[in-house]
Amino acid sequence: MQLQSEDRKVSYKEFHYRWEYELESSPEALWPLVADTNRFNRDTDVPALLDDDSAVAGEPAPKGGLPLRRLRISKLGINVAWDEEPFEWIRPHRFGVVRRYVRGPVEEMRVAAELSPRETGGTRLVYEVWARPRTALGLVAIPAQIGRISARRFASVIRRYDRRLRDRREPFELSTRPQISATGRARLTSMSESLVKQGASAELVSRLSETIERADDLTLARLRPYALADYWHAPRRAVLELCLYATRAGLLDFRWDVLCPLCRGAQHTAKTLREMQSDAHCDTCQIDFKANFDRFVEVTFRPNAAVREVAAREFCIGGPQVTPHVFAQQILPPGTPRTLALALEEGRYRLRASGLSGSRPVTVAEGGDASAALTLDTSGWPEEELLLAPRVTLWLENETGSEQLLILERTAWSDQAATAADVTSLQLFRDLFAREALRPGDQISVGSLTVLFTDLKGSTRLYREIGDAVAFGAVMNHFDVLRETIAEEGGAIIKTIGDAVMAVFRQPASALRAAVRAQRTLASPSEGMLPLRLKAGIHTGACIAVTLNERLDYFGSNINIAARLEPLSDGTDIVISSAVRDDPQVASMLDEETGDLALEPLETALKGFEAERFALWRVRKRVEGKEKGKEKEKEESER
């Protein structure tokens, strides 16, 4: 029988399969596993996507249309290709996707999964597949592959996920058998022992070693240190530093992933900062953007190939867990109304659509509207913020004349990302990877950093009064104290100029604690050391990263402001800006009635910023009564 010709195409009946599972875990717990379609497809033996341009890059749709992807696999020697619409979902209750095939025995396939809470606890998961054959082969293959083989595999994998959650095992599975060669295991053992001898936590090294030896390739292709720390219930900084040590030892490799600001997928990966592209493009979102260290660049790790080869294969590239910050994603045909009942967490969100520029801000909080009507039209989004209740009903209408992909997403970025700003402000990173720097001439925004400048008070007189050798020893000791206290607070010394130090921190409170501790240690040193006074100034704000003298450095107005604060210090105080004072953690430190820090306002102009007025503050040790009088007498005598 001629199945298809230029004049005639045979139409086959659509197959429909519906599977229902009664599970012990909640929809919220099951969602990250079931909706991780990349891992689910792998676990159910779906072939990997073919690694070529048509398989992963996708083909951008016309403006206003849906962002389709052209994907391809090979199964039993048969090449299969399809255009995939964006997934639709409402977290954590339902998701689905439509695939229209351009090659192979299937014409079209639709998949839908729904997770509903049971009255007695747990979840009822309904998984449905609709498939229409293109050829006689499809007429035979669909009931055999989907109706029997997939049905059995889906049930096995879904129940395995439920058991993992019930038994509270790690989010990723560790194989009962090593997934590493004998040579790789020998290297792994040797390097792990070396890390422990260097002072790394034996427990964390053991967990990392077990993960490298027994985890699957999907897990190892992109190890995120903060996520590992959360899985292991370990301090995040300790796990990040272990990964850096392991990279230096040759056990791991790190990569810099440049993330799209919308979908937050990795659009470019570089082995070094020098190779990183600051100008990037996202094919999925069809936008150009500039990378910045604060959000759009994340460091990830994977085993070194000499220890274990990791195959970076993909089985699905558009499922809900690819963009976990997106709460709901819906395809809206033109002129077709839709109603969504949502249960949202409180916080800040954003509404946007694939064919419309801009977005609309949304805040979810108690007291917000329990319902809202939204109309998409070519005039774009209203500027006013939408205030919604946690349980809300949205009435949606698309009047743009073309299909729109509506996205409701959290604006907060995942705190499990170890960003370039986090990593490059660590003393350990700068010590281990001193040559990691941008290409000469490149400038990348860092976001907000806290900058500490220090200098010794009266160091020139010190050399004259006690001699060069003794004074030099005291100055070197001062550097050791600063290095230790700054590193303990997660900061890094960027450079020294004479006796002065510039250091950066991710948090203002960390900088203040480091400066207070350093001042007090130097003022009351151990036996045999000279007491020293340390002047200090702290400011926080946005800056840029550049390469200077082959090292990563920071520049900008906020760096200049921080540099102007240190000279205002007398060595018994720390001068901070209002940006530092207003930080919630710093405010908590300074407002504690039982604390030993006092705050005094300081009014003065800053050199080079005469046209601006800055609210500055002196932070010093709280002294009372006779002790206060002695401190004053001491200061006057020194003047």
Side-chain angles (χ1 to χ4, degrees):
M1 179 175 66
Q2 181 69 34
L3 297 179
Q4 186 172 337
S5 69
E6 293 181 1
D7 302 318
R8 179 170 165 233
K9 180 178 179 181
V10 175
S11 179
Y12 293 100
K13 179 182 176 181
E14 185 176 68
F15 290 87
H16 176 215
Y17 300 95
R18 185 181 189 275
W19 305 301
E20 188 171 317
Y21 313 95
E22 301 290 326
L23 307 171
E24 297 181 30
S25 307
S26 68
E28 291 78 9
L30 283 163
W31 180 268
L33 296 176
V34 176
D36 184 351
T37 52
N38 187 41
R39 185 175 293 275
F40 184 81
N41 285 2
R42 193 282 309 271
D43 290 348
T44 54
D45 294 329
V46 173
L49 296 171
L50 295 181
D51 188 14
D52 59 23
D53 290 342
S54 65
V56 296
E59 296 182 355
K63 186 176 182 181
L66 296 179
L68 302 178
R69 288 185 172 94
R70 174 68 57 85
L71 305 173
R72 189 163 64 90
I73 63 172
S74 179
K75 186 174 180 65
L76 300 176
I78 300 174
N79 284 329
V80 178
W82 67 93
D83 288 334
E84 182 169 290
E85 290 186 356
F87 274 74
E88 293 186 272
W89 68 84
I90 297 177
R91 182 180 304 272
H93 294 298
R94 65 182 67 92
F95 66 87
V97 68
V98 176
R99 295 176 177 133
R100 295 185 175 88
Y101 290 78
V102 296
R103 188 184 308 151
V106 178
E107 179 84 20
E108 182 179 283
M109 182 183 296
R110 290 172 289 136
V111 176
E114 184 159 356
L115 297 82
S116 305
R118 297 190 301 169
E119 291 183 2
T120 56
T123 300
R124 175 176 290 107
L125 170 58
V126 176
Y127 205 108
E128 295 184 85
V129 178
W130 295 262
R132 186 169 63 248
R134 175 192 299 276
T135 66
L137 176 60
L139 197 63
V140 175
I142 288 174
Q145 177 62 49
I146 300 176
R148 291 194 292 274
I149 297 174
S150 293
R152 184 175 64 252
R153 289 173 178 169
F154 282 24
S156 174
V157 169
I158 288 170
R159 297 197 184 283
R160 190 172 82 226
Y161 289 169
D162 193 36
R163 288 194 299 271
R164 283 169 55 191
L165 293 168
R166 181 195 64 196
D167 299 340
R168 298 186 178 183
R169 283 182 275 166
E170 301 209 25
F172 53 85
E173 288 188 280
L174 296 177
S175 171
T176 56
R177 293 180 298 177
Q179 306 293 299
I180 191 172
S181 68
T183 302
R185 187 195 287 180
R187 288 195 177 102
L188 176 61
T189 300
S190 174
M191 291 176 179
S192 298
E193 291 173 352
S194 176
L195 286 172
V196 173
K197 289 179 181 177
Q198 293 174 33
S201 164
E203 180 182 356
L204 291 182
V205 170
S206 175
R207 297 295 294 271
L208 179 61
S209 176
E210 182 183 38
T211 300
I212 293 172
E213 185 175 2
R214 299 182 185 276
D216 58 42
D217 284 357
L218 284 183
T219 298
L220 294 177
R222 195 167 185 263
L223 289 173
R224 306 174 77 208
Y226 290 172
L228 284 177
D230 293 348
Y231 297 158
W232 297 342
H233 303 290
R236 287 181 168 187
R237 187 173 143 206
V239 175
L240 173 57
E241 291 187 344
L242 172 62
C243 290
L244 292 173
Y245 274 122
T247 300
R248 185 65 174 179
L251 179 58
L252 298 177
D253 294 332
F254 65 56
R255 304 181 305 168
W256 304 97
D257 293 336
V258 179
L259 309 179
C260 170
L262 295 182
C263 71
R264 305 183 188 180
Q267 304 306 315
H268 170 68
T269 295
K271 294 181 179 179
T272 67
L273 287 175
R274 192 174 296 272
E275 297 174 4
M276 195 179 72
Q277 299 173 3
S278 57
D279 293 314
H281 174 80
C282 178
D283 289 322
T284 301
C285 301
Q286 288 295 294
I287 61 167
D288 297 316
F289 64 96
K290 283 190 173 292
N292 72 43
F293 276 10
D294 192 36
R295 289 186 177 180
F296 304 160
V297 182
E298 178 182 5
V299 66
T300 60
F301 298 81
R302 66 167 56 189
N304 183 278
V307 176
R308 177 175 167 179
E309 289 279 358
V310 173
R313 297 181 297 167
E314 290 187 288
F315 300 84
C316 181
I317 62 174
Q321 284 303 98
V322 174
T323 53
H325 67 291
V326 175
F327 185 88
Q329 181 165 291
Q330 297 286 298
I331 297 173
L332 301 181
T336 303
R338 180 169 304 178
T339 302
L340 299 181
L342 306 175
L344 303 169
E345 296 179 359
E346 293 190 10
R348 300 188 67 81
Y349 293 77
R350 175 174 57 199
L351 276 165
R352 58 184 177 89
S354 58
L356 297 178
S357 60
S359 61
R360 185 170 186 182
V362 177
T363 294
V364 176
E366 294 294 341
D369 295 332
S371 64
L374 298 173
T375 301
L376 279 64
D377 57 44
T378 54
S379 64
W381 293 97
E383 293 183 0
E384 65 267 21
E385 184 177 62
L386 197 60
L387 181 60
L388 302 178
R391 291 192 174 276
V392 64
T393 300
L394 298 182
W395 284 279
L396 307 173
E397 183 80 30
N398 175 12
E399 296 183 355
T400 64
S402 60
E403 283 188 306
Q404 295 291 337
L405 181 65
L406 181 72
I407 297 168
L408 174 63
E409 61 190 355
R410 279 189 171 276
T411 57
W413 282 64
S414 169
D415 70 344
Q416 285 193 327
T419 66
D422 290 338
V423 177
T424 57
S425 61
L426 278 179
Q427 187 66 53
L428 179 66
F429 173 80
R430 300 185 74 90
D431 290 343
L432 296 180
F433 306 100
R435 295 299 180 185
E436 269 291 301
L438 300 170
R439 283 191 298 265
D442 277 6
Q443 300 178 1
I444 293 187
S445 170
V446 180
S448 184
L449 275 184
T450 300
V451 186
L452 165 69
F453 276 92
T454 70
D455 197 6
L456 283 177
K457 181 178 177 66
S459 59
T460 302
R461 185 181 63 195
L462 188 70
Y463 277 90
R464 186 173 63 250
E465 291 179 351
I466 64 175
D468 290 348
V470 178
F472 181 77
V475 171
M476 291 300 102
N477 173 68
H478 133 269
F479 282 130
D480 292 339
V481 169
L482 279 173
R483 182 185 181 83
E484 180 180 346
T485 55
I486 289 168
E488 284 177 356
E489 290 294 338
I493 294 178
I494 304 305
K495 56 189 173 186
T496 62
I497 306 171
D499 303 331
V501 165
M502 172 188 168
V504 296
F505 301 79
R506 289 293 282 140
Q507 301 297 332
S510 300
L512 182 57
R513 284 193 296 266
V516 168
R517 192 177 307 131
Q519 271 191 345
R520 294 180 180 180
T521 301
L522 292 171
S524 303
S526 56
E527 187 176 351
M529 301 303 297
L530 293 172
L532 299 172
R533 281 197 172 185
L534 185 73
K535 300 188 295 178
I538 304 173
H539 179 55
T540 188
C543 57
I544 59 170
V546 299
T547 294
L548 184 66
N549 298 325
E550 299 185 348
R551 299 289 296 268
L552 199 64
D553 206 337
Y554 302 97
F555 282 89
S557 294
N558 286 308
I559 303 294
N560 295 333
I561 292 171
R564 302 296 192 273
L565 302 187
E566 169 267 310
L568 303 176
S569 169
D570 62 18
T572 65
D573 60 5
I574 300 159
V575 177
I576 65 174
S577 65
S578 59
V580 175
R581 170 68 179 91
D582 294 340
D583 176 77
Q585 286 184 301
V586 171
S588 178
M589 291 172 59
L590 297 176
D591 293 342
E592 289 182 3
E593 293 183 2
T594 57
D596 63 349
L597 294 178
L599 193 66
E600 302 172 7
L602 170 64
E603 291 187 10
T604 185
L606 296 182
K607 184 179 179 181
F609 296 89
E610 288 80 4
E612 300 180 54
R613 300 299 298 175
F614 294 89
L616 305 178
W617 306 84
R618 292 188 188 275
V619 178
R620 62 171 81 244
K621 182 179 179 182
R622 191 190 302 275
V623 291
E624 298 181 10
K626 293 182 179 179
E627 186 178 355
K628 188 173 183 178
K630 291 179 180 179
E631 287 284 338
K632 188 174 181 180
E633 290 177 6
K634 184 177 180 181
E635 289 179 20
E636 290 177 351
S637 66
E638 289 181 351
R639 292 194 188 101

